[in-house]
Amino acid sequence: MAKDSAVGVAVGDRMVRISNPDRVYFPARGETKLDLVNYYLSVGEGIVRALRERPCMLHRFPSGVAGEKVHQKRVPNGAPPWLETVRVHFPRYGRYADELCVTEAAHVAWAVQMSTVEFHPWNSRRADTEKPDEWRIDLDPMPDCPFDTVRSVARVVHEVLDELGAVGWPKTSGGSGLHVYVRIEPRWGFADVRRAALAFAREVERRAPDEVTTTWWRKDRDPKKLFVDYNQNARDHTIASAYSVRGVPEGTVSTPIRWDEVDDVEPRECTIATVPARFAELGDLHGGIDDAVFSLEPLLEWADRDGLEADDS
């Protein structure tokens, strides 16, 4: 295959042109741009569910993950007419952006053609971008915090969610932490969702004070502890979606897991080389997320009890 040749990939009833399909994107094992397309198609149902109807920031690596990373919000001119977008407002800058709004697997393949590796969706949807329907619990270990601590704190998170009557959907981050997503009623704005997330984080900290911190400034945190990053629920803050590949040489994947896998999962083993077979065997482990909707009212009552303000940090 010539270096600059292109291939057509059939995605549903669409044909997506992939240029430079042999360009190596992940140097650890030599996976190419076309391998990345095929990975996303192998988990198509899952990645579309994770991104569906959400404004999505694209993390692009035009020359592969060893090269420059480009954060792209706006869909460029010349996109195919079947691509869908959602307009979002950035009040701080007085600007608007038409961001990718995935509703089918061809949209994902098009993004990879544009050198996207990571997909970072908002936690709100196109119907009302100012009312999140997803609460995100980000378990972010500090530099000297071992993954065993992440596992331990995840068990505490699960315990508190169970007591609240909330269903949490865990996944690896693709890095050193874990994420847990909870589908919520889209009744509250970002400030209240963040306030509820902070109240939850403080409760986890109370139950595991030797392992958890909610200290906002990184320089003030104990490097041996795990930070429950409630600020991932602030407006326009995004993290890699379920099934998103990460921009590292090994091509790790932010991979949905079962709660009973928390004690054994090895995040570095969840890659574009291994996740397709896992998906084929288990299906989308987040497949029921839209059917388990939680009200934030108990957490907002905790926030009131603790005197937490919307802008508290």
Side-chain angles (χ1 to χ4, degrees):
M1 183 179 293
K3 180 179 179 181
D4 294 326
S5 64
V7 297
V9 176
V11 187
D13 60 358
R14 307 198 191 280
M15 185 65 67
V16 181
R17 179 182 180 274
I18 306 298
S19 62
N20 299 308
D22 286 343
R23 177 171 291 161
V24 173
Y25 267 41
F26 304 97
R29 288 181 306 273
E31 286 103 343
T32 65
K33 183 179 183 181
L34 185 58
D35 290 328
L36 182 61
V37 173
N38 288 332
Y39 159 76
Y40 276 119
L41 296 183
S42 77
V43 297
E45 179 185 357
I47 188 67
V48 170
R49 178 176 287 110
L51 302 177
R52 185 179 297 281
E53 299 280 349
R54 302 185 184 282
C56 190
M57 178 187 283
L58 308 177
H59 288 200
R60 299 174 51 241
F61 294 81
S63 59
V65 301
E68 178 187 10
K69 177 164 75 170
V70 178
H71 292 213
Q72 184 154 342
K73 294 182 178 180
R74 292 172 175 80
V75 168
N77 294 331
W82 45 263
L83 201 73
E84 296 194 33
T85 61
V86 53
R87 176 159 291 191
V88 291
H89 183 219
F90 298 96
R92 180 178 178 183
Y93 305 104
R95 297 178 181 176
Y96 292 84
D98 293 324
E99 297 196 10
L100 177 65
C101 188
V102 167
T103 61
E104 59 178 282
H107 297 158
V108 177
W110 170 86
V112 177
Q113 156 57 18
M114 298 299 293
S115 70
T116 300
V117 172
E118 299 189 15
F119 292 85
H120 287 238
W122 285 39
N123 61 338
S124 60
R125 303 204 202 215
R126 178 164 55 180
D128 188 345
T129 58
E130 299 307 311
K131 296 289 179 65
D133 75 333
E134 192 164 80
W135 158 34
R136 296 169 176 177
I137 304 165
D138 181 5
L139 305 184
D140 183 13
M142 294 297 97
D144 298 333
C145 176
F147 195 70
D148 280 347
T149 297
V150 181
R151 301 182 199 275
S152 175
V153 175
R155 291 192 289 270
V156 177
V157 166
H158 193 195
E159 173 186 280
V160 179
L161 289 175
D162 277 351
E163 291 175 11
L164 286 166
V167 179
W169 304 83
K171 65 184 181 72
T172 66
S173 68
S176 58
L178 289 175
H179 301 153
V180 181
Y181 285 2
V182 179
R183 189 64 81 241
I184 59 174
E185 298 174 3
R187 292 168 48 193
W188 296 275
F190 289 98
D192 276 334
V193 175
R194 179 184 179 276
R195 193 164 69 101
L198 174 56
F200 180 86
R202 291 280 173 85
E203 179 62 23
V204 173
E205 182 180 31
R206 277 189 283 268
R207 298 191 188 198
D210 295 333
E211 297 178 313
V212 172
T213 180
T214 58
T215 300
W216 175 241
W217 295 109
R218 188 179 183 90
K219 64 180 178 62
D220 296 330
R221 295 178 204 149
D222 185 334
K224 297 183 178 63
K225 289 189 175 183
L226 180 144
F227 177 51
V228 180
D229 190 353
Y230 51 89
N231 211 47
Q232 296 294 8
N233 296 279
R235 190 181 191 277
D236 193 31
H237 281 232
T238 62
I239 53 180
S241 74
Y243 300 105
S244 176
V245 181
R246 305 308 303 270
V248 296
E250 299 78 17
T252 54
V253 171
S254 185
T255 306
I257 60 174
R258 301 185 304 262
W259 281 110
D260 62 10
E261 293 182 287
V262 166
D263 287 343
D264 301 312
V265 67
E266 295 293 343
R268 289 175 296 180
E269 296 177 359
C270 298
T271 70
I272 64 172
T274 63
V275 170
R278 174 182 170 86
F279 189 89
E281 178 185 356
L282 301 176
D284 182 9
L285 292 181
H286 284 191
I289 191 170
D290 290 320
D291 300 323
V293 182
F294 175 67
S295 169
L296 288 180
E297 288 174 349
L299 289 177
L300 292 172
E301 291 174 2
W302 289 5
D304 291 340
R305 175 198 68 193
D306 295 340
L308 303 178
E309 301 298 330
D311 60 350
D312 184 82
S313 60

